Amino acid sequence: MTAVLPARPAAEPRALPGIPVQDTFDDVLDNPLDSALAGAPARMFATSSATGVLVRLTGEVDAACLAHLPGVLAVLDAADRRLPVLLDTQDVTFMDSSGVALLERVRGVCRATGAPLALLDPAPAVMTVLRLVGLEDAVPVVRTRDDRA
């Protein structure tokens, strides 16, 4: 079973350090997931392409979600280490400290490999938790939608 991410509306590219403006991740966002998690009833998915890595979180990001972290880390490990990583959290409805731990783990991997990391359209639930723990500015945010968290 292969899952496909929904198409994103066209957006003006945003410049982030280490993320080439000409690469808007359209091929990552429109490609089927290539993670071993693609057929699993997971709330976390990862896919990679020639222009970047997309990690997508949906639903409730809690301790149960962390069980899927090794698969996501495997996708990050297999990808070109210079590629930017987007963490798509727009469909997250709840996030607890497990989500913060997950973000810090992915951020640590990116820091160690030199890969730039950005949050893609973070949901209000995500930004609320990040503000509470003082991490709202720890990762750059890319917005492709008008609604602001």
Side-chain angles (χ1 to χ4, degrees), residues 133-148:
V133 298
L135 291 175
E136 69 271 17
D137 295 323
V139 177
V141 172
V142 175
R143 300 246 183 232
T144 62
R145 303 179 326 183
D146 287 335
D147 53 336
R148 302 284 187 236

Side-chain angles (χ1 to χ4, degrees), residues 53 75-84 115:
V53 176
V75 172
L76 290 174
D77 189 49
D80 182 336
R81 298 190 184 251
R82 298 164 298 183
L83 292 177

Side-chain angles (χ1 to χ4, degrees), residues 2-137:
T2 300
V4 178
L5 297 175
R8 299 270 196 252
E12 182 179 321
R14 310 247 192 298
L16 290 172
I19 299 179
V21 174
Q22 70 272 15
D23 293 328
T24 59
F25 293 90
D26 289 336
D27 58 333
V28 176
L29 296 171
D30 294 333
N31 277 348
L33 301 170
D34 63 6
S35 167
L37 305 175
R43 293 182 218 119
M44 187 183 330
F45 312 94
T47 188
S48 63
S49 77
T51 60
V53 176
L54 176 72
V55 178
R56 184 167 186 222
L57 303 171
T58 63
E60 296 183 1
V61 180
D62 54 19
C65 194
L66 291 179
H68 304 290
L69 185 58
V72 169
L73 294 176
V75 172
L76 290 174
D77 189 49
D80 182 336
R81 298 190 184 251
R82 298 164 298 183
L83 292 177
V85 176
L86 283 179
L87 188 58
D88 179 353
T89 61
Q90 68 179 322
D91 295 322
V92 170
T93 57
F94 169 84
M95 187 169 106
D96 64 11
S97 61
S98 299
V100 175
L102 182 149
L103 173 64
E104 286 296 292
R105 184 74 185 271
V106 171
R107 196 171 91 152
V109 168
C110 290
R111 214 176 11 239
T113 62
L117 172 67
L119 286 172
L120 178 65
D121 293 323
V126 172
M127 290 309 297
T128 298
V129 171
L130 294 180
R131 279 186 205 104
L132 286 171
V133 298
L135 291 175
E136 69 271 17
D137 295 323

